[in-house]
Amino acid sequence: MEAISASKRMLLCMLIFVSALQFIQCSVTYDKKAIIIDGQRRILLSGSIHYPRSTPDMWEGLIQKAKDGGLDVVDTYVFWNVHEPSQGNYNFEGRYDLVQFIKTIQKAGLYVHLRIGPYVCAEWNFGGFPVWLKYVPGIKFRTNNEPFKMEMQKFTTKIVEMMKSERLFQSQGGPIILSQIENEYGPESKAYGAAGKAYMTWAAKMAVDLGTGVPWVMCKEDDAPDPVINTCNGFYCDYFSPNKPYKPNMWTEAWSGWFDQFGGPVHTRPVEDLAFSVARFIQKGGSFVNYYMYHGGTNFGRTAGGPFITTSYDYDAPIDEYGLIRQPKYDHLKELHKAIKLCEPALVYSDPKVISLGNYEQAHVFAYKAGGCAAFLTNYHVNSSAGVKFNNMHYELPPWSISILPDCSHVVYNTAKVGTKETWPQMIPSNMKTLSWETVTEDISTGDHDAKLSTFGLLEQLNVTRDTSDYLWYTTSVDISPNESFLRGRQLPTLSVQSAGHGLHVFINGKLSGSAFGTPENRKFSFTRGVSLHAGVNKVSLLSVTVGLQNNGAHFETWNSGVLGPVVLQGLDRGSRDLSLQKWSYQVGLNGEAMNLVSPRQASSVDWMSLVASKPQPLSWYKTYFNAPEGNEPLTLDMSSMTKGQVWINGQSIGRYWTAYAKGDCQRCSYAGTYRQWKCQIGCGRPTQRWYHVPRSWVKPTQNLLVVFEEVGGDPWRIKLAKRTVRDLVR
Ligand code: GAL
């Protein structure tokens, strides 16, 4: 097969389109072997890079690194909730400039796989759905529901039309060769029965009817109707076959690592295992592999899903959160891609012939014209290496490895033999001089005085906040008789609060009495603690906190958060008093949020007090100014002296921080059946996330405003800014 580069082919396609000479048709089709671009079957190597998880000034560099790493395709979801923050109002600016992102990929000569969803999962707030969607009358997400289907169709059509008007589909000479509708609907579909099946069939037809001229895929959807291709997602996909013999074998999410949750361990995946899984998929006849993620990036602002997804979405990807190359992952995959490309003519030409070479050893041989062939030699044994004989030659195969022989004789690559040195991230302290810190504390008394909403009983959090803030105040009062015996030194009464998630700070008469949080395994939790009350009226203020909205699960739009009760005071002379049904006042968000304290223009609108010595104070805002460190390395903030909150630089939200310590099993990597080492856990006993990415483009040379909101208490004097670099480790 003639090797015309993707960029040349696109250009050719475009020229011919423009001059209306129909020699070559710009087209993407498929057959059982592969995606066919302009008449040629292709082995396509792809990587996920999500545009809102980096800044536009990083895009070109990331895409170039993807290209240099041997990728043909960049894959991204489309994130509905950032594009349509309120119904009918669209935003495609800055980090949300999808067209610009795609054009940057096009400029680099790569293809695009556009996963429109519009449900995306992705550890993204609410799975990518705008929160207003939940409040469309009569709506139920992701099932055969007319209001949902109408909104889904409207958004999908808008995106497709936008791409068409910019001539971005390959059928128009553009880079988009594939699109995805829905996301991993199979498991859901089964739970929803006939309605699920009807919705899935509708979604496929709706997408196909948009006439993009390029194929649609549905991942993890065994029933995907023709012509939609069902694809595999997972740590391994060699067991997978598409639902029709005339569809190609595609792997849309090869997990390069995994995401993290605050309070949990950090996940990694050894590159030897990742390379093994990819080679194993290709040797079985797979022709499309997408790394999820190739660059994970950062969940800036409040975009992290949840609950409890960390702000870092590093994913142990070949390009790290900061846009720096992670070794040996990057190079070892790059070498794999080169080896696969050397085999491409044979891979797309024939089906593999499988030859047994021993108990655990096999050869997969792809014949090519004129007697040529390419072979993959595999040792499936997890511990023992093996010597095998193939074509009268001897080959040594390390345990759990595949050797690639593009000419059926010379080994150009083995998945277990890593030649590149490991790199190790380094945080180089900067000489950031924070001249002074100033502070202002949330006025807890406003929790009910200014409340616009008060009612009897407890309200669900999202119904009140509509996710305009993580925070909702629930405030009530309790009248304590002077005769209560606990006032004379007996045991304190106990307040118990049941929350549907995700976190809670309890204030009694304006003083923090304690906090409680759900866990990634169980978002629901209870707070139970002795509380100091005095005779007369006592104010009970509950600050309920969400930490990213649920992004998956059956009908996750109906999952509750906030204080749903009961809220009970126990240990009074007459037993317990249920506060749940009494009058509660509600305040959405913090005063500092309402005053937009984080913005450089508004920051001076309150009376900040200079922070002399650090006394950890709950619900405190802190601000300082700093000059940028020299150079152009990415920057990062060490938040280990703080507890939990959010941080902004020059009005831009770096995201949520939380220094919750990682608990879990850090002793080993996971083994599953005959598979091994697909997920490892590290970092136990340390904060899951200590460092927070500050994009270079958000800082100016001098006078950068840094604002921190701290929920529990911490020491801002010890917040440090560092430059992020990587250095080699000798293996
Ligand atoms: C998949 C899903 C992705 C992402 C991934 C885990 O199941 O399709 O969107 O959530 O899991 O990172």
Side-chain angles (χ1 to χ4, degrees), residues 34-62:
I35 292 290
I36 300 173
I37 304 176
D38 300 335
Q40 287 189 315
R41 286 176 176 165
R42 297 293 310 276
I43 300 291
L44 294 169
L45 301 165
S46 170
S48 291
I49 302 178
H50 295 155
Y51 53 100
R53 286 176 154 146
S54 53
T55 54
D57 73 299
M58 292 170 69
W59 291 346
E60 204 180 318
L62 294 173

Side-chain angles (χ1 to χ4, degrees), residues 157-202:
T157 309
K158 176 162 182 89
I159 295 298
V160 166
E161 288 310 318
M162 190 180 235
M163 299 302 116
K164 279 188 186 172
S165 69
E166 299 281 342
R167 310 203 65 79
L168 291 175
F169 286 107
Q170 205 276 349
S171 50
Q172 306 171 292
I176 305 173
I177 51 160
L178 283 173
S179 291
Q180 179 178 300
I181 194 76
E182 250 295 339
N183 189 74
E184 297 196 333
Y185 191 65
E188 235 76 2
S189 171
K190 291 195 178 75
Y192 298 174
K197 178 93 192 213
Y199 160 69
M200 188 276 296
T201 315
W202 166 86

Side-chain angles (χ1 to χ4, degrees), residues 77 120-123 183-184 233 253 255 258-259 292 313 315:
Y77 281 129
V120 298
C121 191
E123 291 69 67
N183 189 74
E184 297 196 333
N233 292 349
E253 288 183 27
W255 296 325
W258 199 242
F259 62 87
Y292 187 100
Y313 198 63
Y315 224 91

